[in-house]
Amino acid sequence: MTVTEQEITDYVERVRAALADLPPTVRDELTEDLPEHLTEVAAEADGSLVERLGEPEAYAAELRVAAGAAGPAGDRREERIAAAVRRLRARVDRLDTRLGPLLGYDSAGEFLRLLRPAWWVLRGYLAAALVGAILGGNFAPIPRVFGSEILGLLLLAVAIPVSVSLGRRAHELRRWPRRLMHVGAVVLVCFGLVLVNQLDQRGRSGEPVGYFPVENPYDTVRDVFVYDGEGRLVRNARLFDQDGTPIRIGYPDCAEPGEEDEALRNGYPYCPDRAPFGLRPVPPPTPPAAVPTASAEPTAAPTAAPAPTGTAEPTVTPEPPGPTAGPTR
């Protein structure tokens, strides 16, 4: 970004306004060569004057300290802080100049300025990943919002363009929004390091990088209650899988100390008095009715006479002999 003459003029005016408490001759002496100095700084590299030299008020405090001009008592602490910042910045500039040739540029800052668009994209991705971690509770390469990858992709589609637009207009921000943006960048960088560490641990453990753990609905089960078709509670029930392996869910927290093993052996439920539908009384068993078997001997009973059929001939009973009748005449 090219610094215009108007920006240089505004910077000088703000510096002179910050030195308004000094005598005019001292103020003019301190700012006499300031426009030429700012022009040289603007020609050295890209970036605004605020990015290169700091806020005009801080620069004015440094000039005041360098000239030995005492300011108001309330500003002395700010002057000392500004002087410390000035020294730190000078050291950073020297390091920047030394590292530049190693990267093939005059300064490392020139190389880093070329990477700004990449940082803007990465910042948008990290912001979306942070929101996904907060709302989804999981560190994943693709952010998940409430467990949905679709919402995560939509969040990425919004966060990255917003981050790029914010980076292109960063020089237009005022002091506090700019500082807030820097603090947010530090938070995102720290989160990025945590994200890389989590993905590395998953890779070392053999767990798929894109694995998203599913919450087990049986994690909170403490007891199992089995009911038959009549709605009666079944005691001492045992559960097995298809291989005959016992299924263990819950723990007998209602058992007395030392009786947990016995409760586990007895089966479900561990705590019958906590049945969700109450205890339904079991009716006493009724004796089965006597059923004759095929091998039993039939009891003696009178045999009824067979009924006459249509084909049977009637039985003639003989009459007793009487007096023989003589022949008739």
Side-chain angles (χ1 to χ4, degrees):
M1 183 186 67
T2 304
V3 179
T4 62
E5 293 293 336
Q6 183 62 39
E7 293 179 4
I8 295 177
T9 302
D10 294 341
Y11 198 95
V12 173
E13 291 179 355
R14 290 178 61 181
V15 171
R16 291 179 61 85
L19 300 174
D21 59 300
L22 298 179
T25 55
V26 177
R27 182 175 68 249
D28 294 341
E29 182 180 357
L30 292 177
T31 59
E32 180 180 3
D33 300 330
L34 183 58
E36 291 79 6
H37 175 65
L38 295 180
T39 302
E40 294 176 359
V41 171
E44 289 178 357
D46 294 336
S48 64
L49 295 175
V50 175
E51 294 176 350
R52 299 290 296 170
L53 301 176
E55 297 292 337
E57 292 75 15
Y59 188 84
E62 296 172 3
L63 290 177
R64 188 192 301 271
V65 173
D75 295 340
R76 293 178 181 176
R77 179 178 300 176
E78 295 182 1
E79 293 173 2
R80 291 193 295 268
I81 295 176
V85 172
R86 178 81 175 188
R87 291 191 296 269
L88 178 61
R89 183 172 295 157
R91 294 179 181 178
V92 172
D93 290 341
R94 289 194 297 269
L95 181 62
D96 183 28
T97 305
R98 293 178 181 177
L99 293 178
L102 299 177
L103 301 173
Y105 294 87
D106 295 335
S107 64
E110 184 179 355
F111 173 72
L112 294 177
R113 278 188 290 274
L114 297 176
L115 298 180
R116 283 179 177 177
W119 160 245
W120 297 339
V121 174
L122 178 61
R123 179 175 59 185
Y125 168 78
L126 292 176
L130 179 59
V131 174
I134 295 175
L135 299 181
N138 181 262
F139 295 93
I142 299 179
R144 290 180 173 86
V145 179
F146 302 115
S148 173
E149 290 187 0
I150 302 299
L151 294 180
L153 293 175
L154 292 177
L155 181 62
L156 279 176
V158 173
I160 292 178
V162 169
S163 176
V164 173
S165 177
L166 181 63
R168 296 181 61 184
R169 293 175 172 79
H171 63 280
E172 302 176 1
L173 299 177
R174 296 185 178 274
R175 181 178 181 181
W176 284 108
R178 184 189 299 271
R179 290 185 176 181
L180 184 61
M181 184 179 66
H182 293 334
V183 172
V186 173
V187 172
L188 291 178
V189 168
C190 295
F191 170 75
L193 296 176
V194 175
L195 178 61
V196 171
N197 181 52
Q198 290 290 330
L199 297 180
D200 179 70
Q201 289 183 0
R202 291 185 183 179
R204 292 175 181 271
S205 62
E207 182 179 338
V209 176
Y211 173 73
F212 187 71
V214 180
E215 183 180 357
N216 186 359
Y218 302 104
D219 285 342
T220 58
V221 174
R222 304 298 299 171
D223 203 346
V224 176
F225 299 88
V226 181
Y227 288 84
D228 61 10
E230 301 296 331
R232 294 186 294 265
L233 180 65
V234 178
R235 296 175 180 267
N236 301 329
R238 298 177 181 273
L239 305 180
F240 298 88
D241 63 8
Q242 70 282 352
D243 299 324
T245 304
I247 299 176
R248 298 296 185 187
I249 303 177
Y251 187 78
D253 53 359
C254 60
E256 296 293 334
E259 298 180 356
E260 295 87 353
D261 295 339
E262 182 179 357
L264 291 172
R265 289 193 299 269
N266 292 336
Y268 300 107
Y270 300 137
C271 311
D273 55 336
R274 300 181 184 178
F277 306 110
L279 297 177
R280 186 172 177 180
V282 179
T286 57
V291 179
T293 59
S295 60
E297 293 290 338
T299 56
T303 304
T309 60
T311 57
E313 295 184 1
T315 304
V316 180
T317 304
E319 295 181 0
T324 303
T328 58
R329 297 188 180 230

